[in-house]
Amino acid sequence: MTTFDSFEIPLIQATNENLKGYGYLVDDYDQTEIEITAWPRKGWRDIDKGTGNEGGITEGPFETWWQGDILYGRNNAVEHKSDYDKDGQYLLGYSCHPKEANENSLKSDLKQIFIWHVNYHPDGGQLFFPNNNEPFISPLALPGDDMHLEKFKAFYCDGSKGLYIHANIWHEGVFPLKGKSTFRGKQGKVHARVSVDLYEEFQSYIFFDLQIYYLDCLKLNKLQNFLLNDHKMLWLELHGHQILLC
């Protein structure tokens, strides 16, 4: 539920249809080409064809790990030099309101994820490909510096495919649903980044609810249909988690 300092965004199953404009799902990491944006011209004279796009790509593991209520990340494809990078790592998000987050928390079940920061890369696209078929979520918004919180959608990927996003797409890494995860990463080598501190600019975080997606995230073991009080209910037993859905 949206509150005065937290804006809820929808969580949807990622498909190539609803990813149009944002990017697409990827079956083969090695065969996926990274779009490189040509260097922008400064005046009325055009950049010579075949130039301005020769920076190439860079590759490396994108590591993520939950430490209590806080999700950290490290992009080994690029150097960590900006103010956003602390000790060679990113603070990606939280499993509760950021003001209540605790690295020493023992909570194990994610119910929501809060995000404080988003960014885009004007120099090229970016690919995230899970190493071990781990489900993950990526919050995305279409290009434009006059971005608004309500423009974001959180795309749930079941881990069977990677996610490619175009240049200039607002995003914030990838969000696994438990433990540690590693993604094969590939992107433009220039690594230009435009960032927004959401709380500083909008006095609000964005967050998405996870509970309806435990079906895929926790791997379905048994599915039974039954009727209860004249309503059709769905009972899911998921690795010790039981969820009742109408």
Side-chain angles (χ1 to χ4, degrees):
M1 179 184 297
T2 296
T3 64
F4 74 97
D5 69 348
S6 303
F7 186 87
E8 185 172 6
I9 63 174
L11 176 63
I12 61 176
Q13 178 84 38
T15 67
N16 281 325
E17 183 64 29
N18 60 29
L19 280 168
K20 285 181 179 178
Y22 301 89
Y24 51 86
L25 297 173
V26 169
D27 291 307
D28 190 324
Y29 173 90
D30 295 316
Q31 295 300 314
T32 302
E33 296 185 0
I34 302 298
E35 305 158 286
I36 300 299
T37 305
W39 193 268
R41 67 182 187 182
K42 296 296 184 181
W44 58 270
R45 299 184 188 276
D46 287 333
I47 303 291
D48 288 350
K49 289 184 178 180
T51 70
N53 59 354
E54 301 173 83
I57 65 170
T58 182
E59 300 182 56
F62 193 100
E63 304 170 88
T64 60
W65 63 96
W66 284 100
Q67 190 168 325
D69 296 328
I70 303 174
L71 180 67
Y72 292 101
R74 179 180 295 112
N75 187 354
N76 293 282
V78 299
E79 295 187 40
H80 289 249
K81 294 181 176 180
S82 74
D83 292 339
Y84 169 49
D85 307 44
K86 304 295 184 183
D87 301 321
Q89 64 190 31
Y90 304 135
L91 196 167
L92 293 174
Y94 306 87
S95 62
C96 60
H97 194 285
K99 295 179 181 178
E100 301 171 356
N102 183 350
E103 281 192 348
N104 298 315
S105 171
L106 299 178
K107 291 182 292 186
S108 59
D109 293 339
L110 292 176
K111 295 181 180 179
Q112 298 172 325
I113 293 180
F114 287 76
I115 303 169
W116 70 278
H117 171 277
V118 293
N119 71 98
Y120 70 82
H121 304 302
D123 62 292
Q126 187 169 10
L127 172 61
F128 301 96
F129 200 95
N131 272 358
N132 298 306
N133 297 323
E134 305 102 332
F136 64 96
I137 295 168
S138 184
L140 305 176
L142 294 173
D145 278 6
D146 293 326
M147 51 86 76
H148 300 283
L149 303 183
E150 62 269 21
K151 299 297 184 181
F152 276 87
K153 299 176 183 178
F155 289 88
Y156 170 80
C157 301
D158 66 9
S160 64
K161 301 177 186 293
L163 175 66
Y164 178 81
I165 58 174
H166 298 303
N168 300 309
I169 294 298
W170 290 102
H171 67 287
E172 181 60 333
V174 284
F175 293 77
L177 300 177
K178 58 182 178 179
K180 297 181 179 180
S181 297
T182 302
F183 299 78
R184 297 178 71 185
K186 184 161 48 174
Q187 65 188 99
K189 195 170 186 178
V190 171
H191 189 228
R193 188 174 69 214
V194 178
S195 290
V196 170
D197 182 322
L198 297 173
Y199 194 79
E200 182 178 288
E201 185 163 330
F202 297 98
Q203 293 75 55
S204 181
Y205 305 101
I206 58 176
F207 75 96
F208 45 89
D209 194 290
L210 296 172
Q211 295 185 69
I212 63 171
Y213 276 89
Y214 281 149
L215 169 62
D216 287 316
C217 301
L218 300 177
K219 306 300 182 184
L220 178 64
N221 279 341
K222 185 167 60 175
L223 177 62
Q224 295 177 323
N225 288 320
F226 68 94
L227 295 176
L228 177 64
N229 295 330
D230 297 325
H231 293 284
K232 190 173 183 180
M233 313 296 284
L234 190 60
W235 183 262
L236 308 177
E237 291 188 12
L238 308 170
H239 287 272
H241 296 266
Q242 294 184 327
I243 304 170
L244 196 60
L245 302 177
C246 295

